[in-house]
Amino acid sequence: MVNGHCQIVLIAGEPGIGKTRLIEEFCESASRGIDVCWGRCDEQDGSPAYWPWIQILNQFVSAAGRETVVSWLGGRTALLTQIVPALAGEQLSVPDAPPVDAEHARFQLFTAVADLLRHVASTRPLVLVIDDLHWADISSLALIQFLAGSLRHEPVLLIATYRSFDAGRDAPLSSALAALSREQGHLRLVLRGLSRDDVESFVAESTGTTPARELVDAVFDAVDGNAFFMREVMRLILAETPKSGRRSEIRVPETVRDVVGHRVNRLPAACIDQIEIASVIGREFSPVVLGDIANCSTTRVIDDIEPAVAAGLIEMVDVGRYRFSHALVRDALYEDLPSSRRLSLHRLVGEVLERRPLLEPAAHFAELSRHFGLAASVGSAERAIAYALKVADTALSQYAWETAIEYYRLALRSCDLLDDPDPAQRCRLLLLLGEAQTLAGAGRERAFLEGTAPAAIETFWQAARLAQSMDSPAQLARAALGIAGHSLGIPQAGQEGLDLMATALASLPPEDSPLRAQLLARLTVDVARAWSVGGLCLGHTNTEWIIRRSDEAVAIARRAGDARTLAFALAAKRLAREGSGELDDWLDEAEEILHLASATGDLQIAIWGLNQKHSILVESGQPAAAGHVLDELEQLGERVQTPMFRNQMTLWRSGEALRQGRFDEADALLQQARSVWPRTAMATFQLSTLRREQCRLDEVVDLAGERFARLRRSAEWRAFWVLLNYETGAVDAAQALFDDIAALDFTDLPRGVVWLRSIAWLAESASLLRDERRSELLYDLLTPYVGRNLFAENSDHSGGAIAYYLGLLSATLGRWDDAERHFQDALTKNERWQQWPYAAHTRHAWADMLLRRGNDADKGRALTLNADALEASGLMGMARLSKLARALQNAAMTDNVNSVAGKLHGLSARELDVLRLIVNGRTDREIAGALFISPRTVGSHVGSILAKLGTNSRTEAAARAIREGLV
């Protein structure tokens, strides 16, 4: 703080060790020229979200004045008003915040808090104290972590105390402490117990004499270095034992509870009654409220509790406010109350507080919820539910999802204690809890990036089973949507969830409604995605069903007149039918989504629209326009700032860099993305593409293989795995998998989502394996898409013009004129689309085709094309293409390409003839007939070829022959 940078001091220790006292002494000595603000976490379950920060922020608003704070915050005032109502004065118009992504909204709220603290710290150094951090709600912990990073260059000292034994390994506090410890300027102090010399000094000061050894030993043995316990023990000893300090006359309690009990028992009965009621109210209490509960005047209450004040058990903290001197004092009193009296007092406290004016609504409702919740078993369950819902709703409006979860659970527990529980009410509470859990899951990195929220899914399943038992279609539909999850394109429902969505859809009334449209849209996306990876899906799933149902979802949404539902249905339609449909139609629908985003101010809709527009522009070959959309998305990211979106933005940029041949940049971006989300399919596809070009596939085989192992039924991953096997030398495995995929002539591949990319990869494999029959089939499948760029939204990188793959297939089939026409088309498109790596590949493949056609007139053109490919591959770092182009160039420099290349391996002319027919997939008998030699002689030649090439099978020999230009 002294050098203008944020400092973080974490003070740990057991209860009563002196953590708070240490800070009080420090702040008192350093108060000159420094603003000190305290926020204390409440040990009770009834504190609202952000409670310590609410206390701190209210202090700033009170000190600076509302108008000043509003001038500092400007447009962010509306957000901060959600946790500091004092900002919403009569003259201040607070606009409704536009609906945005939940995590983005919380980011904006946290940024507003940081801005306010930054303004305060700009005039004088600032000390923020969070006492008893172990009792903080998770939202408050999230805010302290955010501020530690955001204020690292501000003159702010952030001090927090916590009980070390309350920071368990899996506790939210533990994660927060770990995050804070990574910040610069971090210091952690662990307070230890007092030594015997410390105890002796304190006893001497307390008694005013040199204490007897027996007294010091007795106190030291009892308190185990705890400062609070020592102070209370000495107070009790001074009140109950003579000053002689003889061991026989000393009675030292063994626990804090015992010493507090001894001290309380010395108080008048009226005082004991009052402070017992106060212990039920909480650590702090008002004599006015205490008087209402005890049915006496405020003056009487103050008189009654005066002995406790004199004894140091209670202290006045403000006019009309008292608190127990330590949480341990309150705990000891509370725990000694009989349970029946405790429950009745909680109900009585709640009833009294209900009649009090609302000074701080969030804290007021939280306190009522706590008291009625604790008294739910004695007839307060209905009120406990009502107030818990108020607190939870407020927490959601503050983006404090974890606090909302706590209160929805409290409402559910109270619901179970009703005399006549209502299943519909319980189902509604489960749905609300599931929504809050989903939002909270989106804020936790692992659950968010994996697209899962296990706790939420289980909650929604409970709600679904209850809704089915009640025959409640609307609640069943909400539960099914909850199980499906919030993220379009990341199915998490599984087969059981898909079946539930279908059941829920069938049970809904046939009338148009946003709920019906949402469910239908989500069902089509998840069915299409599950189908594409080999999922069972629904019995009637096919392309026609997906198209019909996704169109129906959009039509219902239009008739229902709900803008967000319409945008959702349009985005879902694209994801469900990716790879099919006219690109102009998809572009029109992307523009419609963006129009809806503009009309509603919903950033999530804007993301849907821009994402769809970007993919369509890339697929239709409009790189400049696609780049402008990425710029728009990046600007949007400045407002959104969620981990998922930042990671997605990184992958969009890495895909763009790959398409344009900026491999070093793509590599850096992919490493950045994978540091956050190491096993995403998008990063795996992109990284594998990059490493293939760099001849470094060994670095990603395990990563891709792991994903393939999990998605063995996915056509996309199977097609990709054929290429990886071939490139890494596992030619037999590549051939076997290719044959398996092609067993039904590709008719069983799901037609949609990633079908086009799968077919293109299979086309490349067919060319490498010289499979003429399958090349014919694949050519017919790809021909309708000849004008497109190969692009898939879930990997966000291009495979080049579709015409390139048609050229490969034509060359494999020996259709030289068709091949040349397609390669010319592909080269023109790839260059116009600024896809320089694929332009280089096209040149090399075209050159190879020309040389294999065998016309002398083609040789000069082939050498020029190949030289250009070699130069481009060197500039871009495409080691694989450089190797292929160099081999082709070396072979083409002689009159007889095959014989010269063959001589490098000692192959005879006859062996080259046999090898050429092996590459074409001929059997020994077919080769014998073609060359007019015996099958036995063919077998001898094959053995010799395998030995000279160092291969183990005909397939491997064929692959090597192709790679090295031997045929």
Side-chain angles (χ1 to χ4, degrees):
M1 183 176 73
V2 175
N3 60 9
H5 293 281
C6 181
Q7 305 289 309
I8 302 168
V9 179
L10 304 174
I11 303 176
E14 66 179 35
I17 203 70
K19 303 182 293 295
T20 303
R21 182 62 179 272
L22 174 64
I23 299 175
E24 289 172 341
E25 294 290 337
F26 166 77
C27 291
E28 185 175 344
S29 64
S31 60
R32 185 173 301 174
I34 293 176
D35 281 332
V36 180
C37 291
W38 284 71
R40 289 183 170 85
C41 305
D42 195 338
E43 69 269 31
Q44 304 301 317
D45 291 335
S47 57
Y50 308 116
W51 181 234
W53 294 106
I54 289 173
Q55 298 169 60
I56 288 173
L57 296 173
N58 275 327
Q59 292 172 52
F60 289 137
V61 174
S62 177
R66 181 181 57 79
E67 291 77 9
T68 300
V69 173
V70 170
S71 69
W72 288 343
L73 293 174
R76 296 186 187 274
T77 304
L79 279 167
L80 201 55
T81 300
Q82 296 176 79
I83 60 174
V84 188
L87 282 174
E90 293 180 2
Q91 304 303 318
L92 176 64
S93 175
V94 181
D96 293 333
V100 293
D101 174 82
E103 191 162 336
H104 165 245
R106 179 141 92 171
F107 172 83
Q108 294 282 56
L109 174 63
F110 286 8
T111 300
V113 175
D115 285 349
L116 175 55
L117 298 180
R118 193 174 287 111
H119 275 290
V120 175
S122 66
T123 57
R124 54 194 295 172
L126 180 61
V127 176
L128 302 177
V129 181
I130 305 291
D131 203 9
D132 293 326
L133 194 64
H134 49 277
W135 284 322
D137 59 284
I138 299 177
S139 304
S140 291
L141 293 174
L143 180 51
I144 195 174
Q145 293 174 65
F146 179 88
L147 293 175
S150 297
L151 301 176
R152 59 169 57 102
H153 300 301
E154 306 298 332
V156 176
L157 174 59
L158 180 58
I159 307 174
T161 71
Y162 66 95
R163 294 180 181 178
S164 49
F165 63 77
D166 283 325
R169 181 177 300 176
D170 297 326
L173 175 61
S174 181
S175 299
L177 293 174
L180 291 173
S181 67
R182 291 190 289 269
E183 293 291 339
Q184 293 182 351
H186 159 265
L187 175 65
R188 183 175 300 197
L189 301 177
V190 180
L191 301 188
R192 308 297 180 188
L194 300 173
S195 66
R196 189 187 182 286
D197 290 343
D198 295 329
V199 172
E200 183 173 6
S201 297
F202 185 84
V203 173
E205 184 177 339
S206 299
T207 59
T209 62
T210 301
R213 181 184 182 85
E214 292 89 340
L215 176 59
V216 175
D217 289 342
V219 174
F220 180 70
D221 292 342
V223 304
D224 192 27
N226 187 290
F228 169 77
F229 195 3
M230 179 184 65
R231 186 171 64 248
E232 296 304 309
V233 164
M234 285 309 302
R235 283 175 171 171
L236 181 63
I237 288 174
L238 291 174
E240 294 187 347
T241 64
K243 293 185 179 180
S244 63
R246 293 192 179 91
R247 182 69 180 87
S248 59
E249 301 177 34
I250 300 172
R251 294 180 296 148
V252 179
E254 295 181 356
T255 66
V256 171
R257 185 171 174 178
D258 290 337
V259 72
V260 172
H262 279 302
R263 295 193 60 215
V264 168
N265 289 338
R266 297 175 57 81
L267 299 174
C271 181
I272 294 174
D273 287 343
Q274 295 284 13
I275 63 174
E276 282 181 344
I277 298 173
S279 74
V280 174
I281 297 174
R283 173 83 184 273
E284 290 192 13
F285 59 93
S286 161
V288 177
V289 174
L290 197 53
D292 288 346
I293 297 169
N295 197 24
C296 63
S297 67
T298 302
T299 303
R300 171 70 180 276
V301 170
I302 293 173
D303 290 341
D304 284 345
I305 65 174
E306 181 56 35
V309 175
L313 295 171
I314 289 174
E315 59 190 16
M316 180 185 290
V317 292
D318 201 351
V319 177
R321 296 294 299 175
Y322 288 79
R323 75 174 178 188
F324 290 97
S325 58
H326 199 283
L328 294 173
V329 175
R330 182 261 169 192
D331 292 346
L333 280 164
Y334 183 80
E335 290 165 7
D336 275 343
L337 286 173
S339 59
S340 58
R341 175 166 165 74
R342 192 185 306 163
L343 294 178
S344 63
L345 281 175
H346 274 298
R347 179 173 180 173
L348 182 58
V349 170
E351 290 171 347
V352 168
L353 291 177
E354 271 188 315
R355 300 191 293 268
R356 304 295 302 171
L358 296 179
L359 299 178
E360 180 65 64
H364 185 75
F365 291 138
E367 198 169 5
L368 288 171
S369 174
R370 176 175 71 88
H371 288 298
F372 286 126
L374 290 169
S377 60
V378 291
S380 298
E382 284 285 6
R383 282 186 287 189
I385 295 170
Y387 287 116
L389 288 175
K390 285 180 179 291
V391 181
D393 291 346
T394 300
L396 285 180
S397 72
Q398 300 169 337
Y399 319 114
W401 311 298
E402 300 85 358
T403 301
I405 290 171
E406 175 188 341
Y407 282 93
Y408 286 137
R409 284 176 172 159
L410 173 59
L412 280 165
R413 291 195 298 270
S414 300
C415 189
D416 292 336
L417 297 173
L418 290 168
D419 294 334
D420 185 20
D422 181 3
Q425 182 183 46
R426 179 173 181 79
C427 189
R428 174 172 169 263
L429 291 173
L430 285 168
L431 291 171
L432 290 170
L433 173 60
E435 286 291 335
Q437 288 172 322
T438 298
L439 291 170
R444 289 192 297 269
E445 183 175 282
R446 188 177 72 178
F448 184 54
L449 294 179
E450 290 179 356
T452 61
I457 291 176
E458 176 54 34
T459 300
F460 281 124
W461 271 114
Q462 292 180 41
R465 288 189 285 269
L466 191 54
Q468 284 180 306
S469 70
M470 297 185 302
D471 191 22
S472 175
Q475 289 182 317
L476 181 61
R478 284 184 59 195
L481 283 170
I483 291 168
H486 280 189
S487 298
L488 274 173
I490 306 179
Q492 65 181 33
Q495 183 61 51
E496 194 177 2
L498 291 174
D499 293 339
L500 181 69
M501 279 194 277
T503 300
L505 185 64
S507 68
L508 280 174
E511 293 81 16
D512 293 340
S513 68
L515 188 58
R516 185 175 186 82
Q518 291 165 23
L519 189 58
L520 187 56
R522 185 65 209 237
L523 181 60
T524 58
V525 171
D526 284 6
V527 164
R529 294 281 158 149
W531 189 30
S532 72
V533 298
L536 296 176
C537 302
L538 307 177
H540 50 274
T541 297
N542 53 47
T543 303
E544 291 71 24
W545 183 90
I546 291 172
I547 291 174
R548 186 176 68 256
R549 300 299 257 174
S550 60
D551 284 341
E552 183 184 351
V554 172
I556 293 173
R558 289 192 192 283
R559 292 194 296 267
D562 186 274
R564 196 173 203 281
T565 298
L566 176 56
F568 180 86
L570 288 169
K573 175 183 173 181
R574 166 65 179 172
L575 291 172
R577 294 156 59 174
E578 181 187 343
S580 62
E582 295 297 324
L583 295 181
D584 288 344
D585 293 339
W586 288 124
L587 194 57
D588 288 343
E589 292 192 351
E591 294 291 356
E592 183 176 5
I593 294 173
L594 291 172
H595 175 74
L596 292 167
S598 177
T600 60
D602 192 319
L603 297 186
Q604 182 59 64
I605 296 178
I607 292 171
W608 290 338
L610 288 172
N611 185 16
Q612 179 166 319
K613 185 175 181 180
H614 170 254
S615 65
I616 294 163
L617 291 171
V618 174
E619 193 171 355
S620 60
Q622 301 182 58
H628 290 317
V629 172
L630 277 190
D631 293 339
E632 289 185 65
L633 280 164
E634 200 147 45
Q635 292 170 11
L636 191 63
E638 295 298 318
R639 300 169 62 192
V640 175
Q641 288 289 340
T642 64
M644 184 70 164
F645 188 84
R646 287 196 299 270
N647 206 65
Q648 178 67 66
M649 193 70 241
T650 302
L651 288 170
W652 277 326
R653 287 300 188 192
S654 60
E656 180 185 53
L658 276 177
R659 291 192 295 275
Q660 297 178 2
R662 293 179 278 115
F663 287 174
D664 288 343
E665 180 183 339
D667 205 340
L669 290 168
L670 282 169
Q671 297 312 316
Q672 178 184 332
R674 293 184 70 246
S675 69
V676 178
W677 195 0
R679 301 193 182 280
T680 173
M682 185 179 293
T684 301
F685 280 135
Q686 288 192 21
L687 189 63
S688 297
T689 297
L690 177 61
R691 294 292 180 256
R692 185 186 184 204
E693 297 290 2
Q694 297 171 327
C695 282
R696 293 165 56 187
L697 271 177
D698 56 306
E699 298 176 21
V700 295
V701 167
D702 289 343
L703 176 65
E706 178 184 317
R707 198 164 188 92
F708 172 70
R710 291 196 298 113
L711 297 170
R712 286 186 178 275
R713 299 172 65 187
S714 164
E716 175 188 34
W717 276 99
R718 294 169 79 201
F720 189 56
W721 195 239
V722 172
L723 285 176
L724 289 190
N725 273 306
Y726 185 91
E727 292 292 342
T728 54
V731 180
D732 286 343
Q735 183 70 63
L737 182 55
F738 182 80
D739 290 342
D740 184 60
I741 297 171
L744 297 177
D745 292 342
F746 311 112
T747 58
D748 57 330
L749 301 186
R751 197 72 178 252
V753 186
V754 292
W755 177 84
L756 187 58
R757 181 171 59 190
S758 302
I759 294 298
W761 281 340
L762 290 169
E764 187 173 359
S765 296
S767 173
L768 292 170
L769 296 169
R770 291 293 190 263
D771 191 319
E772 294 182 14
R773 191 178 76 81
R774 272 69 174 267
S775 292
E776 183 83 51
L777 296 171
L778 291 165
Y779 184 90
D780 291 341
L781 291 172
L782 276 179
T783 297
Y785 304 95
V786 64
R788 292 194 186 184
N789 190 24
L790 180 60
F791 181 82
E793 198 166 314
N794 75 329
S795 69
D796 203 85
H797 80 286
S798 169
I802 293 292
Y804 166 76
Y805 299 92
L806 290 168
L808 293 177
L809 294 170
S810 297
T812 303
L813 293 167
R815 299 174 183 169
W816 309 118
D817 292 343
D818 286 342
E820 185 159 17
R821 174 170 52 85
H822 287 310
F823 284 137
Q824 177 66 71
D825 184 27
L827 182 58
T828 300
K829 285 183 168 64
N830 282 326
E831 288 187 332
R832 187 171 70 241
W833 299 342
Q834 300 172 20
Q835 297 184 149
W836 310 118
Y838 296 102
H841 275 296
T842 303
R843 284 190 170 89
H844 168 71
W846 192 357
D848 181 71
M849 182 277 296
L850 290 172
L851 291 175
R852 285 199 286 128
R853 182 161 62 179
N855 294 337
D856 291 340
D858 291 334
K859 185 175 179 181
R861 196 153 49 107
L863 288 173
T864 300
L865 285 167
N866 192 62
D868 290 345
L870 183 59
E871 180 182 9
S873 64
L875 291 173
M876 289 182 282
M878 300 170 66
R880 172 178 172 272
L881 181 57
S882 293
K883 182 178 178 180
L884 293 173
R886 195 173 293 112
L888 186 63
Q889 181 186 48
N890 292 338
M893 294 305 293
T894 67
D895 292 333
N896 189 333
V897 176
N898 293 338
S899 63
V900 171
K903 287 178 181 178
L904 296 176
H905 296 281
L907 297 174
S908 67
R910 176 60 75 185
E911 286 170 342
L912 283 170
D913 290 337
V914 172
L915 181 58
R916 185 181 305 107
L917 292 170
I918 289 174
V919 168
N920 289 331
R922 305 293 183 86
T923 65
D924 283 2
R925 186 168 298 280
E926 290 170 335
I927 294 172
L931 299 179
F932 302 101
I933 56 178
S934 69
R936 183 186 297 273
T937 302
V938 172
S940 177
H941 284 315
V942 169
S944 177
I945 291 168
L946 296 182
K948 290 178 179 179
L949 294 181
T951 54
N952 297 315
S953 69
R954 295 162 64 97
T955 307
E956 289 185 15
R960 184 165 186 183
I962 294 166
R963 285 199 305 271
E964 299 186 13
L966 304 181
V967 296

